Amino acid sequence: GGTPRLLLDTDEQQDRVAYLYPAILPEGKGVLFSSMPGRATVADDFDIVVLESGAKTPRVLIARAMNAQYVPATGHLVYLQGGALLAVPFDLRTLSVTGTPRVVLDRIWTSEWGYGSYAFSQNGTLVYGPPIASRSRPRVALVDPDGATHPITDARASPAEFAVSPDGGRLVARSVAASDDLWTYDL
C-alpha cells in the first residue's frame, strides 16, 4: 500500500542508464542493484551498487558484477561474475565488502543480460539453475551435503527465476511456457 516514490533515477552524465535486479537489505538498510552503464555490451560490464536508506546516489560495491543478494544466515553478499556465483563477506552495519570473494559455483545459468537463475533462503538454502544444453530441459533438484541429487521436477517443466521461502521448505519458480505460470514446490 501507499504512494509509490522514486528511489533512484537514471543518470546519463554518471553513466548509469538502467538499474536491474533490486534486492532489499535487512532492517531497511538499503537496496542492492545491478547498475548498467551506457558502455555495457555484456552483463559483465554491470556494477553492483547499494543505495543506502535516505541516500540519493548509489555507491559501487563490486565492479563488473551483477545480480547480488545478501544472505543473512552467513553474512555474505552473493553475486554473479563471469558465469560463476561468488560470495564475499559483507558488513551490514557499514554496507561494505569485508573480505575476499570465493567461488560458490563455477557455472550457473545466466541470461544474456545478467539474470542468474539462483536464490537463497534466509537460512542459507541455495537453489540454482545449472547451465543447460540447448536441447535439454532444466530440472529442479535438491543436492544434499554428500552430493546426492534428489529431483523435484521432471523434464516436462522449464523452471526458472527461483525464490525460496524464508524457512527453506518451499520453492516458487516461473515455469517458462507460452503462458508463464508460477509453481510452488515442497522441498
Side-chain angles (χ1 to χ4, degrees), residues 79-158:
Y79 59 95
L80 297 171
Q81 191 172 51
L85 182 65
L86 289 92
V88 65
F90 186 72
D91 186 333
L92 194 56
R93 265 183 318 103
T94 62
L95 300 182
S96 58
V97 171
T98 61
T100 304
R102 291 186 3 196
V103 174
V104 176
L105 294 167
D106 61 359
R107 292 180 44 220
I108 189 168
W109 181 89
T110 56
S111 72
E112 182 179 353
W113 283 103
Y115 172 77
S117 195
Y118 81 95
F120 276 90
S121 71
Q122 290 179 0
N123 70 6
T125 300
L126 167 64
V127 177
Y128 72 96
I132 57 173
S134 61
R135 293 192 177 162
S136 67
R137 296 190 88 151
R139 296 174 78 176
V140 176
L142 288 175
V143 180
D144 66 28
D146 297 323
T149 303
H150 309 280
I152 296 170
T153 64
D154 58 29
R156 291 177 292 169
S158 292

Side-chain angles (χ1 to χ4, degrees), residues 36-102:
M36 181 171 137
R39 63 176 161 67
T41 58
V42 294
D44 278 336
D45 291 337
F46 296 7
D47 296 322
I48 295 171
V49 300
V50 63
L51 181 67
E52 297 179 49
S53 182
K56 303 233 184 282
T57 304
R59 181 170 44 91
V60 175
L61 291 174
I62 303 170
R64 302 186 63 76
M66 69 244 139
N67 202 349
Q69 296 180 22
Y70 176 71
V71 182
T74 66
H76 285 80
L77 194 68
V78 293
Y79 59 95
L80 297 171
Q81 191 172 51
L85 182 65
L86 289 92
V88 65
F90 186 72
D91 186 333
L92 194 56
R93 265 183 318 103
T94 62
L95 300 182
S96 58
V97 171
T98 61
T100 304
R102 291 186 3 196

